[in-house]
Amino acid sequence: SGHAEIGFGQDGSRAVGGSARDGTGAGGGGDVGASEEALRIYWKQRQKHIDKSRRNNKAMTDPDFLRKRTQSLLRVTDVDGDDFDLSSSNSSPGGLKADKKTFDWLINAWAFSSEDSAAENALELLRRMEALRDMGHGGIAPDVKTYTKVINALARAGREDGGARAEELLCYMRGDE
């Protein structure tokens, strides 16, 4: 038929390729072609969503803008610098707030920027968030979404060590160090 059937078994498991009842779904030796087609459709739709998000947010595709914003955020969150200020009203010229939302947005923007330095910039922002958390600024602490965005930046960087670095970060995040 060319279309993957996706169903759910009585135990809540998802079956792709055949019905959950006849055992030809996921794990049951079902139609591999249908499963591959379902994955292809999923990734195509996901890429459309990503492309639309990037088109709607031109800042994500402007590396100069990202560099300036990253430098500004790192400057105002440098505890040894003259500009350090994490007060809730802190906003640098241009409206940059030193908060978790800004860190996460910049990390995500770097992940989708296609810049060679994207992974390093995302990691630098993450390290600053961790340092601020360790100093008692819990409102800027990275969470699972933040780490996922950095892992995404590492994966998209296309570097030979990207997989190993992403795995290191995942282990650190889980506490496996």
Side-chain angles (χ1 to χ4, degrees), residues 79-102:
V79 295
D80 296 325
D82 295 334
D83 297 330
F84 181 73
D85 181 10
L86 293 180
S87 66
S88 61
S89 62
N90 179 41
S91 215
S92 67
L96 179 71
K97 288 186 178 182
D99 61 8
K100 183 183 178 320
K101 185 175 180 179
T102 303

Side-chain angles (χ1 to χ4, degrees), residues 47-90:
Q47 190 59 46
K48 278 184 187 177
H49 172 73
I50 290 167
D51 291 344
K52 182 179 177 186
S53 295
R54 288 181 75 189
R55 269 195 314 273
N56 291 342
N57 194 339
K58 302 294 184 199
M60 287 183 113
T61 59
D62 182 352
D64 290 331
F65 175 83
L66 293 177
R67 270 191 223 45
K68 288 176 186 173
R69 289 296 189 169
T70 299
Q71 290 167 356
S72 293
L73 185 58
L74 292 173
R75 186 181 66 253
V76 299
T77 58
D78 181 1
V79 295
D80 296 325
D82 295 334
D83 297 330
F84 181 73
D85 181 10
L86 293 180
S87 66
S88 61
S89 62
N90 179 41

Side-chain angles (χ1 to χ4, degrees), residues 65-176:
F65 175 83
L66 293 177
R67 270 191 223 45
K68 288 176 186 173
R69 289 296 189 169
T70 299
Q71 290 167 356
S72 293
L73 185 58
L74 292 173
R75 186 181 66 253
V76 299
T77 58
D78 181 1
V79 295
D80 296 325
D82 295 334
D83 297 330
F84 181 73
D85 181 10
L86 293 180
S87 66
S88 61
S89 62
N90 179 41
S91 215
S92 67
L96 179 71
K97 288 186 178 182
D99 61 8
K100 183 183 178 320
K101 185 175 180 179
T102 303
F103 273 97
D104 280 349
W105 186 90
L106 280 168
I107 290 170
N108 198 47
W110 279 116
F112 290 99
S113 71
S114 302
E115 286 293 303
D116 291 338
S117 63
E120 285 73 24
N121 283 303
L123 283 165
E124 187 172 8
L125 289 163
L126 175 65
R127 284 192 292 270
R128 180 61 55 86
M129 291 178 81
E130 291 172 336
L132 291 167
R133 174 203 58 210
D134 294 347
M135 292 175 42
H137 300 287
I140 299 181
D143 59 12
V144 172
K145 289 180 182 180
T146 307
Y147 284 100
T148 302
K149 292 170 193 303
V150 176
I151 290 170
N152 188 22
L154 288 165
R156 291 174 153 275
R159 296 172 44 134
E160 286 184 28
D161 65 342
R165 291 175 78 186
E167 186 175 8
E168 280 176 25
L169 188 58
L170 179 62
C171 290
Y172 171 78
M173 181 181 78
R174 294 187 331 194
D176 296 345

